Amino acid sequence: MKTNRRAFLKSSAASATLLATNPFETMATTTSSNVRAGRMKFSFRPFTIEMKHVFTVAEMSRSTTPVVLTEVDYGGMVGYGEASMPPYLGESHETATRFLSQVDLSKYENPFQLETILADIDAIAAGNPAAKASVDIALHDLVGKLLNQPLSTIWGLDRSKAPLTSFTIGIDKPDVVRQKVKEAAAFKILKIKLGKDNDKEMIETVRSMTDVPLTADANQGWKDRAYALEMTHYLKEKGVKFIEQPMAKERFDDHAWLTERSPIPVLADEAFQRIGDLKKVSTCYSGIVVKLMKSTGLREAYKMLLLAKSLGMKTLIGCMTETSCAVSAASHLSPLVDWADLDGNLLIKNDVFDGMKVVDGKIVIPDRPGIGVVKIA
Ligand code: MG
């Protein structure tokens, strides 16, 4: 980093001016190789992800996802971030633009005070978790690059312990499901979407093609707790490891009833958003689904995972349909979890980053500083 800093200082006329006029910057820059002259500049641009297949979950189908790509430039070092906003979650290009227009990182001396900066970002307005995540991810990427280490290394995690990732099979007719399972042959675990009127047909169709372990997600689609309980026993017999969000997120008592009786873990996804939800959720579910677009980014996701694990809960890290930017960021937390569902970048046809890979079904965390992505478009 020292050599880089010298090269940067030599090449930047702007920083020379700043150094001459700002004694604090002079001190900071000469006492730490990671602090740079100048202030952070935040920018963002809306982008639309195009998906390879029409994607169907219990409530709807779609073929595009609006995202916002963010950058934090600090003396020529750039951190990348992303907000992914599936329409049913309520954020959009418009809401993210409104929120991110209020983000001013130039008032902070440097990016290292993440706890302070991200608390300020969170306080700009309620909600907007994906927009907040796009700032959090870019700042973490930047800090990792300044420290010249992958985030997983900074967190003290063993990259070789990254888990398998599941690949998601959406709800469809048997011939389409068979085709999708064929295409997913490289994956060692599949996640099956349930919650319409063909749950058993979905499982039977997949099982007619493969013996790999399965996981299941009803996306709140089940209306009746007795049916949900019967299904958990059926799923256990079929080699399904857990069920995600069986019933409506508001039905805490029904989920507590089901969790007590189910032979497989019951995970909260839609019912679990921010870390403050964990206390309630821990009394009704066996585990949580953490996603950066719900948690407002990496910082809170990391805290959620540690807290849930300390309570003996199961953990899964998942994603939305995202470019390799946000998915790679999440991959750095994956050595902490029981299960990972980081296939969002594999479902899209216009990725703009290179990052996390899946090799033999297993997550390979990029061995590069920060979140470890390279811009490819
Ligand atoms: Mg889910």
Side-chain angles (χ1 to χ4, degrees):
M1 286 311 292
K2 255 195 178 126
T3 325
N4 288 347
R5 179 174 63 90
R6 284 203 199 101
F8 166 74
L9 290 176
K10 241 185 199 170
S11 69
S12 168
S15 71
T17 313
L18 259 172
L19 284 173
T21 55
N22 185 336
F24 177 80
E25 291 294 348
T26 309
M27 189 176 67
T29 312
T30 49
T31 51
S32 161
S33 62
N34 301 314
V35 177
R36 295 180 163 222
R39 294 302 178 102
M40 287 184 279
K41 274 182 246 135
F42 176 72
S43 61
F44 62 92
R45 69 180 172 104
F47 181 72
T48 300
I49 282 176
E50 289 162 28
M51 286 138 93
K52 289 176 184 164
H53 295 283
V54 174
F55 191 68
T56 304
V57 296
E59 296 306 322
M60 80 287 310
S61 301
R62 68 177 203 277
S63 60
T64 63
T65 303
V67 305
V68 171
L69 302 172
T70 60
E71 292 188 10
V72 180
D73 184 318
Y74 179 52
M77 187 77 91
V78 178
Y80 298 112
E82 176 180 10
S84 172
M85 302 170 292
Y88 63 94
L89 294 176
E91 290 182 79
S92 63
H93 281 156
E94 292 70 32
T95 63
T97 299
R98 204 178 311 136
F99 182 87
L100 295 174
S101 299
Q102 301 171 74
V103 172
D104 174 17
L105 298 180
S106 69
K107 61 184 172 190
Y108 303 100
E109 297 288 349
N110 64 61
F112 292 99
Q113 309 295 320
L114 288 170
E115 198 69 36
T116 302
I117 301 172
L118 294 171
D120 290 350
I121 299 294
D122 197 20
I124 289 175
N128 296 283
K132 290 172 182 175
S134 73
V135 183
D136 166 286
I137 295 168
L139 282 170
H140 277 84
D141 188 33
L142 180 59
V143 166
K145 284 171 171 163
L146 290 164
L147 298 175
N148 201 24
Q149 293 293 336
L151 286 176
S152 46
T153 304
I154 293 171
W155 283 318
L157 302 176
D158 181 350
R159 291 155 29 80
S160 72
K161 290 195 175 138
L164 297 172
T165 179
S166 53
F167 185 81
T168 300
I169 307 291
I171 298 170
D172 229 313
K173 298 199 168 56
D175 53 330
V176 181
V177 170
R178 275 191 286 273
Q179 184 57 34
K180 285 182 182 169
V181 172
K182 213 180 273 177
E183 289 169 18
F187 293 85
K188 305 279 192 273
I189 180 164
L190 297 177
K191 175 167 170 174
I192 315 303
K193 291 289 191 179
L194 302 176
K196 284 198 162 175
D197 52 8
N198 62 340
D199 291 335
K200 290 189 177 175
E201 180 189 83
M202 282 293 298
I203 299 292
E204 301 295 339
T205 306
V206 174
R207 270 287 167 253
S208 72
M209 303 285 295
T210 178
D211 292 328
V212 298
L214 305 178
T215 69
D217 186 354
N219 286 108
Q220 314 184 73
W222 295 343
K223 308 296 175 218
D224 177 62
R225 71 183 194 179
Y227 172 80
L229 180 59
E230 181 209 315
M231 279 303 294
T232 58
H233 284 280
Y234 166 82
L235 293 173
K236 166 97 178 164
E237 261 170 48
K238 297 292 174 183
V240 175
K241 300 297 174 195
F242 62 77
I243 178 71
E244 213 174 293
Q245 204 60 59
M247 296 172 277
K249 61 184 177 184
E250 300 81 12
R251 295 173 62 176
F252 286 104
D253 291 347
D254 286 330
H255 282 103
W257 180 90
L258 179 65
T259 297
E260 215 177 290
R261 293 162 178 80
S262 170
I264 55 175
V266 180
L267 305 191
D269 184 1
E270 287 85 342
F272 179 70
Q273 307 283 323
R274 299 291 302 267
I275 196 164
D277 301 330
L278 191 62
K279 195 174 174 191
K280 174 79 173 164
V281 160
S282 68
T283 64
C284 317
Y285 293 83
S286 343
I288 53 167
V289 176
V290 172
K291 294 174 183 166
L292 301 187
M293 298 304 144
K294 298 192 297 180
S295 69
T296 70
L298 290 158
R299 195 155 195 84
E300 191 163 310
Y302 178 69
K303 294 176 185 173
M304 285 170 171
L305 290 172
L306 295 189
L307 190 51
K309 281 163 73 79
S310 73
L311 293 170
M313 298 181 78
K314 296 288 186 190
T315 55
L316 179 148
I317 189 149
C319 60
M320 310 295 178
T321 37
E322 297 165 356
T323 74
S324 286
C325 179
V327 172
S328 300
S331 76
H332 287 267
L333 291 170
S334 69
L336 278 172
V337 302
D338 294 296
W339 301 289
D341 185 22
L342 295 179
D343 61 353
N345 56 337
L346 307 170
L347 307 172
I348 74 178
K349 54 183 181 188
N350 58 343
D351 205 347
V352 284
F353 288 95
D354 177 74
M356 187 202 99
K357 298 276 182 278
V358 179
V359 177
D360 286 333
K362 193 175 140 92
I363 290 170
V364 179
I365 301 170
D367 189 12
R368 290 186 287 241
I371 62 173
V373 298
V374 175
K375 220 173 171 180
I376 54 169

